[in-house]
Amino acid sequence: MSNYTKALLQCIGITSYYTEIGAGEYQEIKFTDFASANQTDHIILCVPMDSDTIWLECTNQNIPFGFLPPGCQNRYALLVKPTGGELVKTPSFSAKENSRISSIDLDVKKCGEIDFAISTEYNNNLYGQVFPLIHASQKEQKEYLLKHLSSSNNVDIKKILISDNSGDTAKATIYTEGKLINFTSLAGSMILLAPEFFHQNDFLDFIPANRTLDIFEPFGFSYSDTLRISFPADYSLDYLQKGKQFSSVFGQCEFDVEHKENTITLIRKLSINQGQYSRSAFKEINEFLRNISDYQNKKIVLSKK
């Protein structure tokens, strides 16, 4: 497919280069001073432009134009030119560019149920989480979401819409509606509930004490989640913790809260840094992860007026 695309481009006067690369976790060009075929296992296409370079993944016809999967990013590739081979580094995305942006609306009912609507945008490397679902059946989409939503045991999904919005960047959106069953707790006349962001994290919840090997995050990424909670008019807010910020060598997290009448808005902005982390950093990372978990697990308390 790369050769075919190269020939098509050549027909309309566009220069491109057949490019060998090692794709995935265990295959890449690590020895730049030693030529060996077993350092590569995949072919992509490099299209040099005046202001930038376009990289084309030609094997998968559904990949967005100009998007290189994570396994081909930030590593050496061999351009095959008429004048000989040339090693170049492929580009990668920043944590801000690898983003998940969600808008979550929860409507709290007195019976312990919650109606929800979630709209989530996945960009660049996080687009890969949605990519297998774009051409899947409704049944497969629902099964996947029920498996990967953090409250999957209590979720009844009523509607799913998945769209590929890729243009200059890889981008997809999932819209979901449904109901959370038996999610809130009752304590006398009070309703207790924890903030629910639905999405599972793409990092460890904690590092086991017996772990000795380093932790490697191949690329940085970020979440921006806006959670709006509406509750019955005959209830008032009794307790809501204040906003907080947490930071570590592993990443940063910020919570902002706002309360107006019968609506609570909680905004979570979280960023995880690319890098390799040794055992000496585990204590700091675990404290960071524990602070996030403790904050999200604290109950919001609503009292009957």
Side-chain angles (χ1 to χ4, degrees):
M1 293 305 298
S2 294
N3 273 318
Y4 178 62
T5 306
K6 182 179 186 301
L8 290 176
L9 292 174
Q10 186 175 349
C11 286
I12 56 174
I14 297 176
T15 299
S16 62
Y17 300 118
Y18 180 93
T19 303
E20 297 195 14
I21 193 168
E25 187 175 355
Y26 301 107
Q27 195 90 15
E28 65 175 293
I29 300 175
K30 292 184 177 180
F31 306 101
T32 57
D33 59 345
F34 182 75
S36 60
N38 62 355
Q39 294 189 73
T40 65
D41 63 351
H42 188 52
I43 304 300
I44 57 178
L45 207 60
C46 173
V47 186
M49 307 295 285
D50 291 337
S51 58
D52 202 355
T53 298
I54 296 174
W55 297 91
L56 299 179
E57 166 57 68
C58 303
T59 304
N60 190 327
Q61 296 297 288
N62 294 316
I63 290 282
F65 177 83
F67 175 68
L68 281 182
C72 291
Q73 294 176 22
N74 193 31
R75 56 184 59 197
Y76 283 106
L78 177 66
L79 304 188
V80 179
K81 294 183 171 183
T83 55
E86 179 184 344
L87 282 177
V88 299
K89 205 72 176 289
T90 57
S92 61
F93 299 102
S94 67
K96 186 177 180 180
E97 292 170 318
N98 294 323
S99 64
R100 188 193 71 204
I101 304 168
S102 69
S103 176
I104 306 165
D105 289 286
L106 303 183
D107 186 7
V108 179
K109 308 296 183 182
K110 298 177 186 178
C111 60
E113 295 183 350
I114 294 178
D115 291 335
F116 69 82
I118 314 167
S119 180
T120 308
E121 178 184 287
Y122 298 80
N123 293 285
N124 295 313
N125 288 351
L126 296 191
Y127 165 90
Q129 297 176 3
V130 187
F131 179 69
L133 301 179
I134 293 171
H135 303 284
S137 67
Q138 279 275 317
K139 181 176 181 291
E140 291 170 326
Q141 292 173 351
K142 185 173 183 179
E143 288 175 350
Y144 178 90
L145 289 176
L146 286 174
K147 183 178 179 181
H148 289 85
L149 290 175
S150 56
S151 295
S152 56
N153 292 331
N154 300 310
V155 172
D156 180 18
I157 294 177
K158 304 293 187 182
K159 183 177 183 179
I160 302 171
L161 294 173
I162 299 179
S163 56
D164 191 334
N165 311 116
S166 298
D168 293 337
T169 60
K171 179 186 299 185
T173 302
I174 299 180
Y175 176 79
T176 313
E177 287 181 7
K179 190 180 293 291
L180 286 172
I181 304 167
N182 297 324
F183 184 76
T184 62
S185 303
L186 296 177
S189 62
M190 295 186 295
I191 297 176
L192 288 72
L193 69 151
E196 178 53 72
F197 290 99
F198 286 91
H199 304 290
Q200 295 180 2
N201 294 324
D202 292 314
F203 53 88
L204 293 171
D205 293 327
F206 70 96
I207 305 171
N210 61 351
R211 179 176 180 130
T212 58
L213 297 177
D214 291 359
I215 291 174
F216 178 63
E217 285 292 339
F219 58 86
F221 54 90
S222 60
Y223 302 152
S224 179
D225 304 306
T226 300
L227 171 64
R228 285 175 293 273
I229 303 172
S230 301
F231 53 89
D234 56 344
Y235 277 79
S236 61
L237 178 63
D238 193 59
Y239 175 76
L240 172 66
Q241 59 186 325
K242 297 179 179 179
K244 280 194 175 181
Q245 295 182 357
F246 308 108
S247 63
S248 72
V249 65
F250 190 59
Q252 304 79 38
C253 186
E254 177 182 353
F255 292 94
D256 290 321
V257 296
E258 181 180 315
H259 169 230
K260 288 184 178 180
E261 298 178 348
N262 288 80
T263 302
I264 299 164
T265 302
L266 179 58
I267 299 173
R268 177 182 68 172
K269 294 182 179 179
L270 186 145
S271 179
I272 298 298
N273 301 324
Q274 178 187 24
Q276 185 162 331
Y277 303 92
S278 64
R279 187 172 177 82
S280 62
F282 288 0
K283 182 178 179 181
E284 179 185 347
I285 295 173
N286 263 339
E287 182 178 359
F288 172 70
L289 298 175
R290 184 172 58 252
N291 285 335
I292 295 173
S293 178
D294 289 348
Y295 186 95
Q296 293 181 181
N297 287 328
K298 285 185 179 178
K299 302 287 187 179
I300 297 170
V301 181
L302 308 173
S303 296
K304 183 85 170 179
K305 289 182 181 178

